[in-house]
PDB file of all heavy atoms in Angstrom:
ATOM      1  N   ASN M  21      11.590  32.262-230.381  1.00 59.00           N
ATOM      2  CA  ASN M  21      11.960  32.029-231.720  1.00 59.00           C
ATOM      3  C   ASN M  21      11.085  31.077-232.455  1.00 59.00           C
ATOM      4  O   ASN M  21      10.751  31.157-233.625  1.00 59.00           O
ATOM      5  CB  ASN M  21      13.402  31.599-231.794  1.00 59.00           C
ATOM      6  CG  ASN M  21      14.349  32.709-231.346  1.00 59.00           C
ATOM      7  OD1 ASN M  21      14.128  33.884-231.634  1.00 59.00           O
ATOM      8  ND2 ASN M  21      15.500  32.331-230.699  1.00 59.00           N
ATOM      9  N   ASN M  22      10.757  29.926-231.740  1.00 81.00           N
ATOM     10  CA  ASN M  22      10.014  28.828-232.317  1.00 81.00           C
ATOM     11  C   ASN M  22       8.926  28.350-231.402  1.00 81.00           C
ATOM     12  O   ASN M  22       9.086  28.400-230.190  1.00 81.00           O
ATOM     13  CB  ASN M  22      10.930  27.674-232.720  1.00 81.00           C
ATOM     14  CG  ASN M  22      11.924  28.039-233.720  1.00 81.00           C
ATOM     15  OD1 ASN M  22      11.635  28.364-234.882  1.00 81.00           O
ATOM     16  ND2 ASN M  22      13.219  27.977-233.368  1.00 81.00           N
ATOM     17  N   VAL M  28       1.106  15.326-224.754  1.00 96.00           N
ATOM     18  CA  VAL M  28       0.815  14.624-223.498  1.00 96.00           C
ATOM     19  C   VAL M  28       0.115  13.331-223.748  1.00 96.00           C
ATOM     20  O   VAL M  28      -0.949  13.338-224.464  1.00 96.00           O
ATOM     21  CB  VAL M  28       0.012  15.556-222.535  1.00 96.00           C
ATOM     22  CG1 VAL M  28      -0.229  14.804-221.193  1.00 96.00           C
ATOM     23  CG2 VAL M  28       0.692  16.892-222.350  1.00 96.00           C
ATOM     24  N   GLY M  33      -6.882   5.713-220.452  1.00 84.00           N
ATOM     25  CA  GLY M  33      -7.763   6.785-220.059  1.00 84.00           C
ATOM     26  C   GLY M  33      -7.950   6.764-218.597  1.00 84.00           C
ATOM     27  O   GLY M  33      -7.566   5.885-217.873  1.00 84.00           O
ATOM     28  N   VAL M  42      -5.384  21.063-219.919  1.00 96.00           N
ATOM     29  CA  VAL M  42      -6.174  22.235-219.823  1.00 96.00           C
ATOM     30  C   VAL M  42      -5.611  23.185-218.768  1.00 96.00           C
ATOM     31  O   VAL M  42      -5.394  24.356-218.992  1.00 96.00           O
ATOM     32  CB  VAL M  42      -7.659  21.901-219.615  1.00 96.00           C
ATOM     33  CG1 VAL M  42      -8.398  23.215-219.134  1.00 96.00           C
ATOM     34  CG2 VAL M  42      -8.293  21.365-220.844  1.00 96.00           C
ATOM     35  N   LYS M  76     -17.595  25.342-232.729  1.00 85.00           N
ATOM     36  CA  LYS M  76     -18.467  25.368-233.908  1.00 85.00           C
ATOM     37  C   LYS M  76     -17.883  24.540-234.997  1.00 85.00           C
ATOM     38  O   LYS M  76     -18.591  23.850-235.744  1.00 85.00           O
ATOM     39  CB  LYS M  76     -18.642  26.821-234.357  1.00 85.00           C
ATOM     40  CG  LYS M  76     -19.607  26.966-235.536  1.00 85.00           C
ATOM     41  CD  LYS M  76     -19.839  28.454-235.871  1.00 85.00           C
ATOM     42  CE  LYS M  76     -20.850  28.607-237.000  1.00 85.00           C
ATOM     43  NZ  LYS M  76     -21.055  30.034-237.373  1.00 85.00           N
ATOM     44  N   GLY M 108     -16.966  11.503-231.486  1.00 53.00           N
ATOM     45  CA  GLY M 108     -17.770  10.470-232.114  1.00 53.00           C
ATOM     46  C   GLY M 108     -17.416  10.202-233.555  1.00 53.00           C
ATOM     47  O   GLY M 108     -18.092   9.363-234.216  1.00 53.00           O
ATOM     48  N   LEU M 115      -6.684   8.215-238.668  1.00 65.00           N
ATOM     49  CA  LEU M 115      -6.201   8.955-239.851  1.00 65.00           C
ATOM     50  C   LEU M 115      -5.056   8.220-240.528  1.00 65.00           C
ATOM     51  O   LEU M 115      -4.226   7.644-239.854  1.00 65.00           O
ATOM     52  CB  LEU M 115      -5.704  10.382-239.441  1.00 65.00           C
ATOM     53  CG  LEU M 115      -6.710  11.341-238.846  1.00 65.00           C
ATOM     54  CD1 LEU M 115      -5.968  12.670-238.625  1.00 65.00           C
ATOM     55  CD2 LEU M 115      -7.862  11.563-239.760  1.00 65.00           C
ATOM     56  N   GLU M 131       2.803  28.867-236.350  1.00 84.00           N
ATOM     57  CA  GLU M 131       4.141  29.180-235.733  1.00 84.00           C
ATOM     58  C   GLU M 131       4.185  30.495-235.104  1.00 84.00           C
ATOM     59  O   GLU M 131       4.767  30.658-234.042  1.00 84.00           O
ATOM     60  CB  GLU M 131       5.227  29.017-236.849  1.00 84.00           C
ATOM     61  CG  GLU M 131       6.630  29.128-236.298  1.00 84.00           C
ATOM     62  CD  GLU M 131       7.116  27.890-235.612  1.00 84.00           C
ATOM     63  OE1 GLU M 131       6.690  26.781-235.976  1.00 84.00           O
ATOM     64  OE2 GLU M 131       7.929  27.998-234.661  1.00 84.00           O
ATOM     65  N   HIS M 147      -1.987   4.364-233.909  1.00 78.00           N
ATOM     66  CA  HIS M 147      -0.919   4.975-234.671  1.00 78.00           C
ATOM     67  C   HIS M 147      -1.038   6.507-234.743  1.00 78.00           C
ATOM     68  O   HIS M 147      -0.035   7.195-234.832  1.00 78.00           O
ATOM     69  CB  HIS M 147      -0.913   4.400-236.155  1.00 78.00           C
ATOM     70  CG  HIS M 147      -2.058   4.787-237.003  1.00 78.00           C
ATOM     71  ND1 HIS M 147      -3.168   4.018-237.075  1.00 78.00           N
ATOM     72  CD2 HIS M 147      -2.236   5.870-237.822  1.00 78.00           C
ATOM     73  CE1 HIS M 147      -4.050   4.607-237.889  1.00 78.00           C
ATOM     74  NE2 HIS M 147      -3.521   5.744-238.381  1.00 78.00           N
ATOM     75  N   LEU M 153       2.846  11.917-230.814  1.00 91.00           N
ATOM     76  CA  LEU M 153       3.902  11.897-229.750  1.00 91.00           C
ATOM     77  C   LEU M 153       5.281  11.995-230.386  1.00 91.00           C
ATOM     78  O   LEU M 153       6.122  12.766-229.988  1.00 91.00           O
ATOM     79  CB  LEU M 153       3.739  10.722-228.902  1.00 91.00           C
ATOM     80  CG  LEU M 153       2.492  10.654-227.959  1.00 91.00           C
ATOM     81  CD1 LEU M 153       2.340   9.252-227.373  1.00 91.00           C
ATOM     82  CD2 LEU M 153       2.546  11.682-226.883  1.00 91.00           C
ATOM     83  N   GLU M 158       8.683  17.558-227.365  1.00 95.00           N
ATOM     84  CA  GLU M 158       8.750  17.013-226.042  1.00 95.00           C
ATOM     85  C   GLU M 158       7.525  16.137-225.785  1.00 95.00           C
ATOM     86  O   GLU M 158       6.466  16.462-226.247  1.00 95.00           O
ATOM     87  CB  GLU M 158       8.843  18.099-224.946  1.00 95.00           C
ATOM     88  CG  GLU M 158      10.007  19.037-225.147  1.00 95.00           C
ATOM     89  CD  GLU M 158       9.754  20.376-224.430  1.00 95.00           C
ATOM     90  OE1 GLU M 158       9.523  20.377-223.235  1.00 95.00           O
ATOM     91  OE2 GLU M 158       9.827  21.414-225.167  1.00 95.00           O
ATOM     92  N   PRO M 167      -1.180   0.403-210.139  1.00 95.00           N
ATOM     93  CA  PRO M 167      -0.392  -0.503-211.031  1.00 95.00           C
ATOM     94  C   PRO M 167      -0.829  -0.587-212.454  1.00 95.00           C
ATOM     95  O   PRO M 167      -0.018  -0.613-213.387  1.00 95.00           O
ATOM     96  CB  PRO M 167      -0.541  -1.883-210.266  1.00 95.00           C
ATOM     97  CG  PRO M 167      -0.682  -1.483-208.844  1.00 95.00           C
ATOM     98  CD  PRO M 167      -1.491  -0.245-208.877  1.00 95.00           C
ATOM     99  N   GLY M 175       3.944   0.677-221.085  1.00 95.00           N
ATOM    100  CA  GLY M 175       3.630   0.160-222.467  1.00 95.00           C
ATOM    101  C   GLY M 175       3.709   1.298-223.502  1.00 95.00           C
ATOM    102  O   GLY M 175       4.119   1.102-224.587  1.00 95.00           O
ATOM    103  N   LEU M 176       3.277   2.494-223.056  1.00 95.00           N
ATOM    104  CA  LEU M 176       3.422   3.615-224.005  1.00 95.00           C
ATOM    105  C   LEU M 176       4.890   3.915-224.297  1.00 95.00           C
ATOM    106  O   LEU M 176       5.308   4.206-225.452  1.00 95.00           O
ATOM    107  CB  LEU M 176       2.722   4.872-223.343  1.00 95.00           C
ATOM    108  CG  LEU M 176       2.882   6.165-224.199  1.00 95.00           C
ATOM    109  CD1 LEU M 176       2.259   5.996-225.632  1.00 95.00           C
ATOM    110  CD2 LEU M 176       2.147   7.318-223.466  1.00 95.00           C
ATOM    111  N   ILE M 204       8.552   7.097-205.540  1.00 97.00           N
ATOM    112  CA  ILE M 204       8.649   5.640-205.758  1.00 97.00           C
ATOM    113  C   ILE M 204       8.127   5.212-207.080  1.00 97.00           C
ATOM    114  O   ILE M 204       8.733   4.409-207.783  1.00 97.00           O
ATOM    115  CB  ILE M 204       7.846   4.893-204.617  1.00 97.00           C
ATOM    116  CG1 ILE M 204       8.528   5.037-203.271  1.00 97.00           C
ATOM    117  CG2 ILE M 204       7.660   3.457-204.932  1.00 97.00           C
ATOM    118  CD1 ILE M 204       7.717   4.622-202.049  1.00 97.00           C
ATOM    119  N   TRP M 226       4.786  16.276-209.980  1.00 98.00           N
ATOM    120  CA  TRP M 226       3.680  15.506-209.494  1.00 98.00           C
ATOM    121  C   TRP M 226       2.536  16.368-209.021  1.00 98.00           C
ATOM    122  O   TRP M 226       2.707  17.550-208.857  1.00 98.00           O
ATOM    123  CB  TRP M 226       4.105  14.536-208.339  1.00 98.00           C
ATOM    124  CG  TRP M 226       4.730  15.196-207.148  1.00 98.00           C
ATOM    125  CD1 TRP M 226       4.099  15.824-206.125  1.00 98.00           C
ATOM    126  CD2 TRP M 226       6.157  15.500-206.961  1.00 98.00           C
ATOM    127  NE1 TRP M 226       4.998  16.392-205.248  1.00 98.00           N
ATOM    128  CE2 TRP M 226       6.291  16.196-205.785  1.00 98.00           C
ATOM    129  CE3 TRP M 226       7.295  15.149-207.699  1.00 98.00           C
ATOM    130  CZ2 TRP M 226       7.570  16.617-205.233  1.00 98.00           C
ATOM    131  CZ3 TRP M 226       8.540  15.556-207.183  1.00 98.00           C
ATOM    132  CH2 TRP M 226       8.613  16.261-205.953  1.00 98.00           C
ATOM    133  N   SER M 236     -14.379  20.501-210.464  1.00 94.00           N
ATOM    134  CA  SER M 236     -14.263  21.352-211.632  1.00 94.00           C
ATOM    135  C   SER M 236     -14.587  20.589-212.937  1.00 94.00           C
ATOM    136  O   SER M 236     -15.164  21.188-213.822  1.00 94.00           O
ATOM    137  CB  SER M 236     -12.824  21.932-211.699  1.00 94.00           C
ATOM    138  OG  SER M 236     -11.869  20.971-212.173  1.00 94.00           O
ATOM    139  N   ILE M 237     -14.265  19.388-213.005  1.00 90.00           N
ATOM    140  CA  ILE M 237     -14.562  18.593-214.177  1.00 90.00           C
ATOM    141  C   ILE M 237     -16.065  18.407-214.348  1.00 90.00           C
ATOM    142  O   ILE M 237     -16.633  18.590-215.445  1.00 90.00           O
ATOM    143  CB  ILE M 237     -13.870  17.170-214.105  1.00 90.00           C
ATOM    144  CG1 ILE M 237     -12.375  17.303-214.180  1.00 90.00           C
ATOM    145  CG2 ILE M 237     -14.418  16.269-215.240  1.00 90.00           C
ATOM    146  CD1 ILE M 237     -11.636  16.030-213.944  1.00 90.00           C
ATOM    147  N   GLU M 239     -18.291  20.386-213.222  1.00 91.00           N
ATOM    148  CA  GLU M 239     -18.878  21.706-213.541  1.00 91.00           C
ATOM    149  C   GLU M 239     -18.414  22.301-214.828  1.00 91.00           C
ATOM    150  O   GLU M 239     -18.831  23.379-215.270  1.00 91.00           O
ATOM    151  CB  GLU M 239     -18.582  22.712-212.411  1.00 91.00           C
ATOM    152  CG  GLU M 239     -19.243  22.287-211.043  1.00 91.00           C
ATOM    153  CD  GLU M 239     -18.854  23.187-209.914  1.00 91.00           C
ATOM    154  OE1 GLU M 239     -17.889  24.047-210.098  1.00 91.00           O
ATOM    155  OE2 GLU M 239     -19.455  23.103-208.886  1.00 91.00           O
ATOM    156  N   ILE M 256       0.413  22.103-210.515  1.00 98.00           N
ATOM    157  CA  ILE M 256       0.395  22.294-211.943  1.00 98.00           C
ATOM    158  C   ILE M 256       1.167  23.585-212.325  1.00 98.00           C
ATOM    159  O   ILE M 256       1.898  23.668-213.239  1.00 98.00           O
ATOM    160  CB  ILE M 256      -1.049  22.265-212.541  1.00 98.00           C
ATOM    161  CG1 ILE M 256      -1.616  20.878-212.341  1.00 98.00           C
ATOM    162  CG2 ILE M 256      -1.026  22.674-213.959  1.00 98.00           C
ATOM    163  CD1 ILE M 256      -3.118  20.823-212.668  1.00 98.00           C
TER     164      ILE M 256
END
Side-chain angles (χ1 to χ4, degrees):
N21 292 327
N22 296 298
V28 182
V42 165
K76 185 176 181 180
L115 297 182
E131 185 79 31
H147 69 269
L153 292 169
E158 303 159 56
L176 177 58
I204 291 170
W226 55 86
S236 75
I237 293 171
E239 295 176 350
I256 293 173

